[in-house]
């Protein structure tokens, strides 16, 4: 069952859903600011948190993880936990099925994620038995690749995929992003693969590109999907800076700063980040 704390409901009548899967050791909350930054009030956002399990890569420490990882240097090390993948895939499929049962057409649902969550989103979206609106996969890899392309479900053989990867990524090496793009393209999937000058993280330009992809895939109902949604914010519109900044986590504050182009350099304490965000610009 979905924890209501993991959901940001649509502000208007809901006509679309985005399921956003976090990376290793994070929680759904880590990506909450994106619900505001996407400027898609017709969209419900679901940020599920993975079950806590021991992670071999981190010396067996228990943490939120969609599956166990031994190492990120090889296919075997990153994709050995087949049971974890199957278990987490059933969670994602359950979320999609529940949205469809509420009347949201499956092609108005996008599944995506970062790092481990990106790997799970590719694994899940390609095998989903209903046509999805798209998939986004950030700083990640395609897991259990011996299964593909055979495991791609008929309804998602032409699934539009947005991929973003940092060229200096020290964790999920850039070459794995390139290889994934190459494989997906060979399978006949339309991939928009973008690369950025960054490490294992996201950056304002990547988020801008991703938001454009989401607006194109899930326009306001009635707008033509070919053009960006009529309601897409005018360029330069930014998420408002909320009044209650101290309620945000350091990560949320940094995401907000990135969106507004505010440089966090020199900020040591959380209070420094808040002070900098509150400065008139």
């Amino acid at each position: 069952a979905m924890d209501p704390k993991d959901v940001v409901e649509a502000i208007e009548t809901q006509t679309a859903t985005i399921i956003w899967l976090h990376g290793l050791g994070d929680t759904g909350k880590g990506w909450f600011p994106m619900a505001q930054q996407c400027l898609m009030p017709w969209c419900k956002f679901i940020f599920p948190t993975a079950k806590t399990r021991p992670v071999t890569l981190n010396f067996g420490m228990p943490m939120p993880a969609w599956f166990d990882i031994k190492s990120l240097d090889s296919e075997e090390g990153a994709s050995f936990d087949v049971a974890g993948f199957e278990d987490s895939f059933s969670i994602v499929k359950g979320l999609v099925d529940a949205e469809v049962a509420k009347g949201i057409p499956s092609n108005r649902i996008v599944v995506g994620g970062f790092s481990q969550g990106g790997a799970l989103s590719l694994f899940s979206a390609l095998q989903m038995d209903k046509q999805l609106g798209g998939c986004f996969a950030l700083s990640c890899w395609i897991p259990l690749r011996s299964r593909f392309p055979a495991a791609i479900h008929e309804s998602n053989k032409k699934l539009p995929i947005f991929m973003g990867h940092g060229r200096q990524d020290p964790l999920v090496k850039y070459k794995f992003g390139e290889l994934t793009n190459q494989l997906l393209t060979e399978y006949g999937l339309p991939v928009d693969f973008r690369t950025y000058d960054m490490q294992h993280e996201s950056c304002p330009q990547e988020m801008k590109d991703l938001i454009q992809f989401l607006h194109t895939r899930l326009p306001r109902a009635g707008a033509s999907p070919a053009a960006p949604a009529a309601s897409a914010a005018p360029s330069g519109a930014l998420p408002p800076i909320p009044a209650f900044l101290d309620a945000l986590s350091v990560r949320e504050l940094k995401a907000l700063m990135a969106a507004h182009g505010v440089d966090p350099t020199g900020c040591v304490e959380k209070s420094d980040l808040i002070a900098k965000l509150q400065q008139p610009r």
Side-chain angles (χ1 to χ4, degrees), residues 126-178:
L126 293 176
Q127 298 184 85
M128 198 69 64
D129 59 358
K130 298 172 180 64
Q131 185 191 349
L132 294 174
C135 173
F136 61 92
L138 312 176
S139 307
C140 67
W141 68 97
I142 183 164
L144 300 173
R145 61 174 188 256
S146 56
R147 288 196 178 191
F148 299 103
I152 301 176
H153 194 276
E154 195 55 50
S155 35
N156 286 302
K157 281 202 158 51
K158 290 290 172 214
L159 179 74
I161 298 170
F162 175 91
M163 282 186 70
H165 214 108
R167 289 184 291 273
Q168 295 84 28
D169 193 326
L171 286 179
V172 179
K173 307 280 189 296
Y174 177 59
K175 63 178 182 190
F176 292 127
E178 278 188 312

